Amino acid sequence: NTYQMPQSNITLRAVWSLNKPVLSGTEGPIAFYYDGSARTATVTGTHTLTDAVITYRWYKLNPGESAIPSVGFSIDRYFESRCQLLEETTGTYDFVNIGDSGTYYCVVTATHGENVSQTAREFVVTVNKALPTKELTQTEFTYAPNTTFDLNDYVTGQGGIETFKILDKNGLAFDFGETTAILSNITEAGGTFTLQMTVHETETYAALTKTYTITLNKAKQNLYVSASPSTPTMQQTVTLTVSGNVGNLSYEKVNGNATVQGNQIIPDGAGTVHYSVTAGATDLYEEATQTYSITFRKAEGNLAPDYQKPAEYTICVGHTSKDIALPQGWSWNGTHTFDQVINGVFSATF
């Protein structure tokens, strides 16, 4: 038996979907410190169908929402329920401010006739608060009477308000206002203390704490010495008067023909005497030593020595004047040779 199959016409229709666009450009995550400048994310979509129309939409994930996975249906609808639409013109978006931190999506749509395909690129953006650049530019100070130091005057850089705190005075004595940052009423200097500076957080700057070692020097003593009389003879005692000192005074001969007793210089003859004056250290002043000189002149007028002058000297022929002993302090003017018997007068100098 022969069986013949019934005949019928079957129409086959091609059903196709548009491939997703291919993305290139910036990839996440994006992280930077706030500095007022923009960071730009750029996404470029392309398609194998060169006449496909490419469009862009930028979304930011709403607070409390979890990240959006890749989905196969209309991405726009899915994103609009969980995100905020930001931009729908270009494939670029700028991130600048601290508040720009968050999760972003650039949705790229390819349209070809009635066919549509979409894909998205995720960007996790972190805009950190800027690090303060504030510094204490001076860390060494020197005591002076009635002087105060406002540490705020020595701070430069960017950041929040700075405050100060003394961590350790290390034996120094002074007043410090933590609300004013003024160092005053110094009663003991000559060392270091430890200071903490805190730069407080703002909307755009993070907090920062720094520790400094501050040097507080003693003041110098500037000595001024006057001598009376100022141009003494070798018979005059000189009295020294010192000003500019704070510490106790002491005196010492460096060299020269004199004796130093306290603030008096007693000459032992004519010539220049060098001496030093020292002002001792105090809680606020360094020790100071300075060297000076004073010249004692030979005496003026009749200063013949007080001695018993012999009536005459007698010496044998063939000897010289060097053989005659003169009183202490006297010397012959030249050498005289006695080669014959004579009576004469010869000179000597004291």
Side-chain angles (χ1 to χ4, degrees):
N1 295 328
T2 301
Y3 178 77
Q4 185 174 358
M5 291 287 294
Q7 295 183 357
S8 62
N9 294 327
I10 300 174
T11 301
L12 300 177
R13 298 181 180 274
V15 178
W16 59 281
S17 62
L18 194 63
N19 292 337
K20 293 181 179 181
V22 177
L23 306 184
S24 62
T26 308
E27 295 185 0
I30 298 173
F32 60 94
Y33 288 97
Y34 170 80
D35 59 6
S37 300
R39 272 62 169 184
T40 301
T42 300
V43 178
T44 300
T46 58
H47 203 277
T48 52
L49 298 177
T50 58
D51 57 344
V53 177
I54 304 295
T55 57
Y56 304 88
R57 284 191 175 187
W58 286 87
Y59 294 93
K60 183 178 183 181
L61 190 66
N62 290 328
E65 295 284 357
S66 58
I68 299 175
S70 176
V71 291
F73 51 88
S74 176
I75 292 180
D76 271 347
R77 293 180 184 175
Y78 193 81
F79 274 68
E80 286 172 359
S81 64
R82 306 178 66 182
C83 300
Q84 175 187 359
L85 177 62
L86 303 173
E87 168 69 40
E88 50 183 336
T89 303
T90 67
T92 61
Y93 195 79
D94 291 338
F95 308 101
V96 180
N97 299 310
I98 304 297
D100 290 342
S101 295
T103 301
Y104 294 77
Y105 299 92
C106 180
V107 176
V108 182
T109 301
T111 303
H112 188 268
E114 296 181 356
N115 296 288
V116 176
S117 65
Q118 293 180 309
T119 190
R121 175 165 289 181
E122 180 184 81
F123 296 92
V124 177
V125 177
T126 304
V127 185
N128 297 298
K129 290 189 175 184
L131 296 177
T133 59
K134 285 195 169 183
E135 289 282 354
L136 184 63
T137 59
Q138 183 169 326
T139 58
E140 184 172 355
F141 301 89
T142 299
Y143 166 78
N146 303 316
T147 297
T148 61
F149 301 102
D150 186 343
L151 298 187
N152 291 308
D153 294 340
Y154 303 96
V155 177
T156 62
Q158 302 296 318
I161 295 173
E162 70 275 2
T163 58
F164 298 91
K165 181 179 181 180
I166 302 295
L167 299 182
D168 193 344
K169 288 187 176 182
N170 295 326
L172 302 182
F174 55 84
D175 292 339
F176 186 77
E178 293 188 356
T179 57
T180 62
I182 294 177
L183 189 153
S184 62
N185 297 326
I186 302 169
T187 56
E188 187 165 349
T192 63
F193 62 90
T194 306
L195 176 76
Q196 183 183 81
M197 181 179 78
T198 299
V199 182
H200 294 273
E201 186 177 14
T202 69
E203 291 184 358
T204 55
Y205 284 96
L208 179 68
T209 299
K210 291 187 174 183
T211 301
Y212 295 91
T213 298
I214 307 299
T215 300
L216 184 57
N217 297 315
K218 292 183 177 182
K220 296 183 181 298
Q221 299 182 72
N222 298 312
L223 304 182
Y224 302 92
V225 176
S226 61
S228 178
S230 59
T231 56
T233 67
M234 63 183 189
Q235 286 187 315
Q236 294 176 298
T237 296
V238 170
T239 300
L240 304 175
T241 301
V242 181
S243 61
N245 67 294
V246 179
N248 295 328
L249 294 173
S250 61
Y251 306 83
E252 184 177 351
K253 184 183 76 172
V254 178
N255 56 55
N257 192 21
T259 301
V260 175
Q261 295 180 355
N263 68 329
Q264 293 188 322
I265 302 176
I266 305 169
D268 295 328
T272 299
V273 176
H274 293 87
Y275 62 94
S276 65
V277 178
T278 298
T282 71
D283 289 341
L284 296 173
Y285 289 86
E286 296 177 346
E287 178 181 282
T289 298
Q290 292 182 228
T291 302
Y292 303 88
S293 65
I294 190 167
T295 299
F296 292 90
R297 298 176 293 108
K298 289 184 177 181
E300 300 174 353
N302 183 13
L303 295 175
D306 183 13
Y307 70 99
Q308 184 68 38
K309 184 178 180 180
E312 62 182 19
Y313 288 105
T314 300
I315 192 170
C316 296
V317 173
H319 290 270
T320 69
S321 56
K322 290 184 178 179
D323 298 321
I324 301 174
L326 295 175
Q328 184 178 0
W330 290 85
S331 61
W332 290 105
N333 293 334
T335 302
H336 308 285
T337 302
F338 306 104
D339 53 5
Q340 60 182 339
V341 177
I342 61 170
N343 287 319
V345 178
F346 300 90
S347 65
T349 301
F350 177 76

